Short mmCIF file of all heavy atoms in Angstrom, two decimals:
data_model
loop_
_atom_site.label_atom_id
_atom_site.label_comp_id
_atom_site.label_asym_id
_atom_site.label_seq_id
_atom_site.Cartn_x
_atom_site.Cartn_y
_atom_site.Cartn_z
N ARG A 205 197.37 -21.46 133.15
CA ARG A 205 198.80 -21.76 133.33
C ARG A 205 199.13 -22.10 134.78
O ARG A 205 199.92 -23.00 135.04
CB ARG A 205 199.66 -20.60 132.82
CG ARG A 205 199.77 -20.61 131.31
CD ARG A 205 200.73 -19.58 130.74
NE ARG A 205 200.03 -18.29 130.64
CZ ARG A 205 200.40 -17.18 131.25
NH1 ARG A 205 201.47 -17.14 132.01
NH2 ARG A 205 199.71 -16.07 131.10
N VAL A 206 198.52 -21.39 135.72
CA VAL A 206 198.74 -21.70 137.14
C VAL A 206 198.28 -23.12 137.44
O VAL A 206 199.00 -23.91 138.07
CB VAL A 206 198.01 -20.69 138.06
CG1 VAL A 206 197.96 -21.19 139.50
CG2 VAL A 206 198.70 -19.34 138.00
N LEU A 207 197.08 -23.46 137.00
CA LEU A 207 196.54 -24.80 137.29
C LEU A 207 197.38 -25.88 136.61
O LEU A 207 197.65 -26.93 137.20
CB LEU A 207 195.08 -24.87 136.86
CG LEU A 207 194.15 -23.92 137.64
CD1 LEU A 207 192.78 -23.86 136.98
CD2 LEU A 207 194.05 -24.33 139.09
N GLU A 208 197.82 -25.62 135.40
CA GLU A 208 198.68 -26.59 134.71
C GLU A 208 200.03 -26.73 135.41
O GLU A 208 200.61 -27.81 135.42
CB GLU A 208 198.85 -26.22 133.24
CG GLU A 208 197.58 -26.48 132.44
CD GLU A 208 197.69 -26.13 130.98
OE1 GLU A 208 198.63 -25.40 130.59
OE2 GLU A 208 196.82 -26.56 130.21
N SER A 209 200.51 -25.66 136.04
CA SER A 209 201.77 -25.76 136.78
C SER A 209 201.63 -26.66 138.01
O SER A 209 202.63 -27.15 138.53
CB SER A 209 202.27 -24.37 137.18
OG SER A 209 201.55 -23.86 138.29
N HIS A 210 200.40 -26.87 138.44
CA HIS A 210 200.12 -27.78 139.56
C HIS A 210 199.82 -29.20 139.06
O HIS A 210 199.44 -30.06 139.85
CB HIS A 210 198.97 -27.25 140.40
CG HIS A 210 199.35 -26.09 141.26
ND1 HIS A 210 199.87 -26.23 142.53
CD2 HIS A 210 199.33 -24.75 141.02
CE1 HIS A 210 200.13 -25.04 143.04
NE2 HIS A 210 199.81 -24.12 142.14
N GLY A 211 199.96 -29.44 137.76
CA GLY A 211 199.84 -30.79 137.22
C GLY A 211 198.56 -31.10 136.48
O GLY A 211 198.42 -32.19 135.93
N VAL A 212 197.61 -30.20 136.45
CA VAL A 212 196.34 -30.44 135.74
C VAL A 212 196.55 -30.33 134.25
O VAL A 212 197.35 -29.51 133.78
CB VAL A 212 195.27 -29.42 136.21
CG1 VAL A 212 194.10 -29.36 135.26
CG2 VAL A 212 194.78 -29.77 137.60
N ARG A 213 195.84 -31.14 133.48
CA ARG A 213 195.83 -31.02 132.03
C ARG A 213 194.37 -30.92 131.59
O ARG A 213 193.52 -31.67 132.05
CB ARG A 213 196.47 -32.25 131.36
CG ARG A 213 197.94 -32.38 131.65
CD ARG A 213 198.75 -31.22 131.04
NE ARG A 213 200.12 -31.23 131.50
CZ ARG A 213 200.63 -30.39 132.38
NH1 ARG A 213 199.88 -29.48 132.95
NH2 ARG A 213 201.88 -30.45 132.73
N PHE A 214 194.11 -29.97 130.70
CA PHE A 214 192.77 -29.80 130.15
C PHE A 214 192.73 -30.48 128.80
O PHE A 214 193.56 -30.21 127.93
CB PHE A 214 192.45 -28.30 130.02
CG PHE A 214 192.40 -27.62 131.35
CD1 PHE A 214 193.48 -26.93 131.84
CD2 PHE A 214 191.25 -27.70 132.13
CE1 PHE A 214 193.44 -26.30 133.08
CE2 PHE A 214 191.20 -27.09 133.38
CZ PHE A 214 192.29 -26.39 133.85
N LEU A 215 191.79 -31.40 128.63
CA LEU A 215 191.69 -32.18 127.41
C LEU A 215 190.47 -31.74 126.61
O LEU A 215 189.39 -31.53 127.17
CB LEU A 215 191.56 -33.67 127.75
CG LEU A 215 192.63 -34.22 128.70
CD1 LEU A 215 192.30 -35.64 129.10
CD2 LEU A 215 194.00 -34.14 128.05
N THR A 216 190.64 -31.61 125.31
CA THR A 216 189.51 -31.24 124.46
C THR A 216 188.69 -32.49 124.15
O THR A 216 189.17 -33.61 124.27
CB THR A 216 189.99 -30.61 123.14
OG1 THR A 216 190.82 -31.56 122.47
CG2 THR A 216 190.77 -29.34 123.39
N GLY A 217 187.47 -32.29 123.75
CA GLY A 217 186.62 -33.42 123.38
C GLY A 217 187.09 -34.02 122.07
O GLY A 217 187.78 -33.39 121.28
N ASP A 218 186.70 -35.27 121.84
CA ASP A 218 187.12 -35.95 120.63
C ASP A 218 185.95 -36.38 119.75
O ASP A 218 186.10 -37.20 118.87
CB ASP A 218 187.98 -37.17 120.98
CG ASP A 218 187.20 -38.23 121.74
OD1 ASP A 218 186.00 -38.07 121.98
OD2 ASP A 218 187.82 -39.25 122.11
N GLY A 219 184.78 -35.85 120.01
CA GLY A 219 183.61 -36.25 119.24
C GLY A 219 182.75 -37.25 120.00
O GLY A 219 181.54 -37.12 120.05
N ALA A 220 183.39 -38.24 120.60
CA ALA A 220 182.65 -39.23 121.40
C ALA A 220 182.50 -38.75 122.84
O ALA A 220 181.52 -39.08 123.50
CB ALA A 220 183.37 -40.58 121.37
N PHE A 221 183.47 -37.99 123.30
CA PHE A 221 183.46 -37.49 124.67
C PHE A 221 183.71 -35.99 124.64
O PHE A 221 184.44 -35.49 123.79
CB PHE A 221 184.55 -38.16 125.52
CG PHE A 221 184.35 -39.63 125.68
CD1 PHE A 221 185.02 -40.52 124.85
CD2 PHE A 221 183.48 -40.13 126.63
CE1 PHE A 221 184.83 -41.88 124.98
CE2 PHE A 221 183.29 -41.49 126.76
CZ PHE A 221 183.96 -42.37 125.94
#
Side-chain angles (χ1 to χ4, degrees):
R205 282 186 277 121
V206 166
L207 297 169
E208 287 180 344
S209 77
H210 286 271
V212 163
R213 295 294 171 255
F214 296 97
L215 308 173
T216 59
D218 65 2
F221 297 97

